Amino acid sequence: MQKQMSESERQLFLLGGHDLEMLTIRQQLDRTGIAYVDHQLRWDNARLSSYRKELEEASAKDWIVYGVELQEDIPKPPGYRAIDHHNSFAHLDSALEQVMALLGQPMDRSQQLVAANDKGYIPGMLEIAATQEEINLIRHADRKAQGITDEDESLAEKAVTNNCTKIGDLFVVKAFSSRFSPICDRLFPFRSLLVYTDEEWVYYGKGMENVKKFFEKEYLADNLFCGGGENGYVGVKCGVYSLEEIQKMVEHIKMIEK
C-alpha cells in the first residue's frame, strides 16, 4: 500500500524577488526539507506567471502552493495561497514571520532582525533594540542579497554628493540607477526621502500616507506599491509612466512637503 503524503510533504513554496528576507526564507525551507522553487527573480519581475509550469504540476497533484511576494498577473489556481506584506497585505506580519508560523518554527535573533528590517527598515530594527553592529550587518547583507554591486554603491555615493537637495525635512535625490537602497542607507536618519529616476520614484518616511493619498487614483490602478507601515514607503512601478509624468509627480510631491 502506498504511504499517504503528509500535509507538509504536499506543500510547495514559490519564491519571489531576492532580498535578505527571501534568502532567509529559502534557507529555512532548506533546513526543514520543505519543497520550494526559486527562479532567482528580482522585485520588478517577481510574477506568478513565472511559475506557470510549477502551478500546473502542483494543481494536478492537489498540492498546497504558497506564493511568496509574487505579483498575481495570472488567475490563481485552487489551493494557492499568497504570502505577502505589501500593498493590500500591509497589515500582515512580514513574509518571513508568516512562513515561520506556517512551519511552526521559532525565530532566532538573526531572523527577528531580518523580519524587522524588511517590515520597518532601520527604525524597525531599532524597535527591537538592534545594536549598530547588527544594523550594519543586516543592511549590508540585504543590499548584497538584492544584487547591489560595487558600481551601484559608487553611483549611490555620487547621487548623494551631486544630486541631493532638501526641501524642508524632505531629501530629494535624482539617482543614477534603479538601485535606491544604498542611497537610503547613506542618508539615514531622515524624516522623509524622495529618490527618483526618469522612469520611477519612491518616497520613504513620514508623510508617506499623504503621498499615497494624493496618488490614490494611480494606486487603485495598481501602478503604485507601498509597504513598511505609516512611515514606510510608496512608489511607482518602473516604466509605467513617461518621463514627463514622472517629473510632474516628483514636483507634486515636492509641493506636498512645502
Side-chain angles (χ1 to χ4, degrees):
M1 178 180 293
Q2 186 176 6
K3 179 183 175 182
Q4 186 175 1
M5 296 178 70
S6 67
E7 181 172 327
S8 63
E9 291 175 317
R10 293 188 297 105
Q11 291 179 342
L12 176 66
F13 286 78
L14 308 177
L15 303 188
H18 275 198
D19 56 15
L20 184 56
E21 181 186 46
M22 198 63 62
L23 296 189
T24 304
I25 289 171
R26 188 178 71 182
Q27 183 182 57
Q28 188 63 31
L29 295 173
D30 277 329
R31 287 173 179 167
T32 54
I34 301 295
Y36 69 87
V37 183
D38 182 6
H39 281 183
Q40 308 285 318
L41 302 173
R42 305 180 308 274
W43 288 343
D44 62 344
N45 69 352
R47 302 183 181 91
L48 187 57
S49 59
S50 174
Y51 293 103
R52 195 185 302 269
K53 178 182 176 182
E54 288 82 1
L55 288 168
E56 292 173 354
E57 293 174 350
S59 181
K61 297 176 182 177
D62 197 28
W63 281 29
I64 300 170
V65 179
Y66 295 98
V68 187
E69 297 187 358
L70 293 171
Q71 300 174 45
E72 296 173 0
D73 60 330
I74 60 173
K76 296 176 290 184
Y80 178 83
R81 302 175 188 180
I83 295 176
D84 207 337
H85 60 108
H86 302 95
N87 302 325
S88 61
F89 298 100
H91 61 288
L92 299 178
D93 288 339
S94 70
L96 175 57
E97 289 170 308
Q98 292 180 54
V99 169
M100 295 298 286
L102 280 169
L103 300 179
Q105 299 288 328
M107 295 177 62
D108 61 26
R109 176 62 175 176
S110 176
Q111 291 168 333
Q112 291 169 0
L113 288 165
V114 170
N117 170 65
D118 203 88
K119 194 165 51 176
Y121 186 50
I122 295 175
M125 288 189 280
L126 290 172
E127 287 180 6
I128 62 170
T131 65
Q132 190 60 52
E133 182 181 7
E134 287 177 323
I135 290 171
N136 292 342
L137 285 171
I138 291 293
R139 289 307 310 151
H140 179 267
D142 198 13
R143 295 200 305 275
K144 183 177 179 180
Q146 294 171 32
I148 303 297
T149 65
D150 290 342
E151 182 181 4
D152 293 323
E153 297 283 1
S154 296
L155 290 174
E157 187 70 38
K158 181 180 176 182
V160 169
T161 301
N162 299 329
N163 286 354
C164 181
T165 59
K166 197 173 183 185
I167 302 172
D169 290 326
L170 173 68
F171 285 100
V172 180
V173 181
K174 175 72 179 291
F176 291 104
S177 81
S178 61
R179 302 296 198 172
F180 292 175
S181 60
I183 293 175
C184 297
D185 288 353
R186 281 168 169 77
L187 287 174
F188 188 86
F190 51 79
R191 178 190 177 275
S192 52
L193 167 65
L194 172 64
V195 186
Y196 71 99
T197 67
D198 292 340
E199 296 185 303
E200 59 190 318
W201 59 261
V202 181
Y203 180 100
Y204 308 85
K206 292 186 181 298
M208 182 276 279
E209 289 291 344
N210 293 333
V211 174
K212 178 183 171 185
K213 185 176 181 180
F214 187 88
F215 294 108
E216 184 176 10
K217 180 180 177 181
E218 290 78 6
Y219 178 73
L220 293 175
D222 197 32
N223 291 331
L224 265 66
F225 58 86
C226 65
E230 63 180 359
N231 296 324
Y233 57 86
V234 60
V236 299
K237 295 180 179 179
C238 184
V240 172
Y241 295 101
S242 67
L243 168 62
E244 292 75 18
E245 289 170 321
I246 292 293
Q247 289 175 335
K248 287 181 180 179
M249 288 176 159
V250 167
E251 292 306 314
H252 281 310
I253 294 172
K254 291 178 182 178
M255 292 298 296
I256 293 173
E257 288 295 312
K258 286 185 177 180

